[in-house]
Amino acid sequence: NELDGLTKIQEMTNDTHVVELYSATGVLQQGHNAISLRFKNKTTNEYEKNATVSWAPLMYMTSMQHACPYSAVTKTSGKETLYSGYIVFQMAQNDTEYWKLKVNYTINGTDHTVNEVISVPASVKRRVTSFTGTDGSKYVLALIEPTSPKVALNDITMGVFKMENMMSFPIVNNYTVKIDPRMPSMGNHGSPNNVNLTQSATDLFYHGKLSLTMTGYWKINLQLLNSANEVLKGEEITETTAASSIYFEVEF
């Protein structure tokens, strides 16, 4: 089944193809989104199996335009017609500002493109944070996992990106993300055995362990450290500092 575990988000069309967008939830939202797509030929009603694909998300603000962190698009392993990647929308749409997604693809030496508005509402809980570090650079941190947190030692995954300019947000290498999960409604207690996030050479994301000792609302306080272990943003939690200025939220 090509679409196992996926739900359609929307369709984009041009003269030759219907481009179908999919995700696990069937919606996009502010933060990290794993997205799959496939191309239905309007003439044959068949799905294309050999396409070269790239994409370019763009936020249309009232005074400017900017992109966001996103991956290359590659053929999905074990699938014949699916292509996949990720996009991190650091902002949500609003009444006057919106995202468009341009998909460029080549099939049998012919170039095609679609470019349409996509819906990116705000996430219910904070899954992405943007800030300027003490080094003057602008960063985007995105929570990727856990998507279904449990009372356990959870695998936690984040993406760490630096804004080179309005259109370029490359992955940052060899940094550290310190985490300190707390329950504000329960005396701001923490949890044991958390493991700070370091970068994997395999997927270039940052991986660690997140200890959640009970159900409820958790604030995952963050500190971003560079390769010299200098804190670029975020505060250590103390008796007088209840929360960091950068954080994620989970509730389950």
Side-chain angles (χ1 to χ4, degrees):
N1 183 0
E2 290 285 285
L3 300 178
D4 187 34
L6 296 175
T7 302
K8 186 184 290 184
I9 301 168
Q10 73 178 75
E11 295 181 348
M12 308 164 70
T13 62
N14 57 22
D15 290 342
T16 54
H17 292 92
V18 177
V19 182
E20 301 173 347
L21 302 182
Y22 294 88
S23 73
T25 60
V27 294
L28 301 174
Q29 63 174 326
Q30 183 183 8
H32 173 274
N33 295 261
I35 304 170
S36 297
L37 62 169
R38 61 179 184 168
F39 305 88
K40 185 177 183 180
N41 188 300
K42 284 184 172 182
T43 302
T44 66
N45 277 333
E46 298 289 329
Y47 287 96
E48 304 286 1
K49 296 181 178 180
N50 293 292
T52 302
V53 189
S54 64
W55 55 16
L58 196 62
M59 178 71 174
Y60 287 78
M61 301 185 69
T62 53
S63 59
M64 62 177 174
Q65 300 171 6
H66 65 78
C68 60
Y70 61 89
S71 71
V73 183
T74 57
K75 190 73 170 285
T76 306
S77 177
K79 304 292 185 180
E80 291 190 342
T81 64
L82 273 183
Y83 302 80
S84 57
Y86 68 81
I87 301 175
V88 177
F89 300 106
Q90 71 271 43
M91 290 181 61
Q93 66 191 28
N94 56 49
D95 291 343
T96 58
E97 299 169 319
Y98 57 92
W99 287 93
K100 291 185 78 172
L101 180 61
K102 184 177 185 180
V103 180
N104 299 307
Y105 59 102
T106 304
I107 299 172
N108 295 328
T110 302
D111 295 332
H112 308 271
T113 188
V114 291
N115 188 18
E116 294 189 16
V117 174
I118 53 175
S119 177
V120 185
S123 55
V124 176
K125 293 291 183 286
R126 183 183 290 244
R127 303 170 58 244
V128 63
T129 182
S130 305
F131 55 86
T132 301
T134 56
D135 58 354
S137 296
K138 293 185 177 180
Y139 293 92
V140 177
L141 266 63
L143 180 64
I144 301 172
E145 294 288 349
T147 53
S148 300
K150 296 176 174 62
V151 177
L153 193 61
N154 296 263
D155 291 326
I156 183 169
T157 306
M158 297 182 194
V160 182
F161 309 90
K162 180 185 289 188
M163 188 178 81
E164 284 186 335
N165 54 56
M166 298 296 279
M167 298 298 157
S168 178
F169 295 77
I171 287 176
V172 173
N173 297 316
N174 301 317
Y175 279 26
T176 301
V177 183
K178 286 188 174 182
I179 58 171
D180 188 346
R182 300 279 177 151
M183 293 197 83
S185 66
M186 303 286 290
N188 214 38
H189 74 70
S191 60
N193 304 318
N194 293 284
V195 177
N196 294 327
L197 286 78
T198 55
Q199 190 179 30
S200 164
T202 305
D203 62 8
L204 301 182
F205 289 140
Y206 286 71
H207 298 267
K209 297 289 184 179
L210 172 67
S211 174
L212 301 175
T213 54
M214 60 188 296
T215 59
Y217 170 81
W218 289 83
K219 179 177 283 188
I220 307 171
N221 297 284
L222 308 172
Q223 288 181 289
L224 180 65
L225 283 65
N226 63 15
S227 54
N229 280 325
E230 299 165 332
V231 177
L232 300 178
K233 186 72 173 179
E235 295 75 36
E236 186 176 348
I237 307 307
T238 65
E239 289 185 2
T240 56
T241 304
S244 175
S245 55
I246 55 173
Y247 61 91
F248 294 134
E249 299 172 306
V250 297
E251 187 169 14
F252 66 108

